[in-house]
Amino acid sequence: MNDSIVIGAGAAGLSAGLTLARARRDTLIIDAGAQSNLAATGIGGLLGHDRRPPAEYYAAGRAELAAYPSIEIRHGEAVSVTRGEDDVFTVALADGRHERARTLILATGMEYRHPRLPGLGERWGTSVFHCPFCHGWEMRDRPMGVLATSAVGVHGALNLRAWTRTITLLTNGAELTGAQRDLLSAGGVAWDPRPIAALDGPGTSLETVTFHDGDPLPVTALLVKAVLYQRSPLATGLGVTLTPPDEMLSVEAITVDPMCRTAIPGLFAAGDAATSVPPSMAAAVASGYLAGASAAVRIAAGY
């Protein structure tokens, strides 16, 4: 029997594991790999690790945890979780094994769903990105585009003025209201409603956005509104509450309190998957610490 099981070994899961390791709690971390930010060339805004490649960061985190005897990191996939009448969680793994723990931390991350446009997927995390605070510095002073509609697009385009003054809001066929056009004009932001055909450029670089009609637009960086959904069905299988995606953040997240506790005793959630965390590495590390500390306190109290 483990004191805790952490599902997910991204920034939040490894941070939770470190906190539990230092509390001398027997903890199994299950790592299916394929963290959502591995496509990025570097981490933006994580103090001490700014612009470090994500894969290098995760390898360093696993190496740190290896020094603690109470921690095991196992590559595998959790396919289901149940909570028994004794309040113990049982995790079924894809290899047929079952592991039990007094507490469970879901750090399973999110699936980023972006518009299906030719040329977008292969540039995701490089010249096409979701978070300006994570990638804006590297793309500064270039001609940028924003692919979004309605108030989200207007807000995103105006926000980009901190990084560049050449900005075009691309609505991909959707129209803006007169008030929205007035806001963009006042902020010095252009807009183009034409339906997009493709993103073009060498390799993962972006040079132009082409349309189904008319001339292409020079754009070397593109901010895209993506909707974040749970990568794993484990949370819904346990009956946790999910918040519906809202207009601005567009996140389908597990509802937690400020200490990363769900409404199910002994179940915690951290990282992008939880409501308390905006999608960033820095926030994920902090929430992983809180989830790990909360789990350790529950274990110490005899749960």
Side-chain angles (χ1 to χ4, degrees), residues 11-13 105-110 253 260 269-280 283-288 291:
I105 298 174
L106 297 177
T108 44
M110 300 293 263
C260 296
D272 293 1
T275 53
S276 62
V277 184
S280 77
V285 170
S287 72

Side-chain angles (χ1 to χ4, degrees), residues 234-253:
L234 297 178
T236 53
L238 286 165
V240 303
T241 301
L242 298 181
T243 60
D246 62 28
E247 184 182 24
M248 292 304 292
L249 291 178
S250 301
V251 176
E252 175 198 63

Side-chain angles (χ1 to χ4, degrees), residues 32 43 67 80 101 122 142-143 154 283 287 299:
I43 300 166
S80 68
E122 56 265 41
R142 303 183 188 184
V154 174
S287 72
I299 295 162

Side-chain angles (χ1 to χ4, degrees), residues 47-137:
L47 186 63
H49 302 281
D50 191 39
R51 294 188 277 183
R52 187 176 192 177
E56 183 182 301
Y57 173 86
Y58 295 134
R62 290 191 292 268
E64 285 186 4
L65 286 169
Y68 293 89
S70 64
I71 294 290
E72 176 189 356
I73 301 177
R74 184 186 304 171
H75 182 75
E77 181 182 359
V79 295
S80 68
V81 180
T82 57
R83 182 172 180 268
E85 293 182 359
D86 57 357
D87 295 337
V88 171
F89 294 91
T90 300
V91 179
L93 302 176
D95 62 7
R97 285 186 283 184
H98 291 76
E99 297 288 347
R100 304 175 76 234
R102 296 176 175 87
T103 60
L104 179 69
I105 298 174
L106 297 177
T108 44
M110 300 293 263
E111 175 190 349
Y112 287 66
R113 298 183 190 174
H114 49 67
R116 301 293 183 180
L117 289 174
L120 194 155
E122 56 265 41
R123 292 174 175 83
W124 183 253
T126 54
S127 55
V128 178
F129 55 94
H130 170 70
C131 172
F133 298 100
C134 301
H135 297 277
W137 172 260

Side-chain angles (χ1 to χ4, degrees), residues 253-276:
I254 301 168
T255 301
V256 295
D257 69 9
M259 292 301 294
C260 296
R261 296 173 292 209
T262 73
I264 298 174
L267 178 65
F268 308 84
D272 293 1
T275 53
S276 62

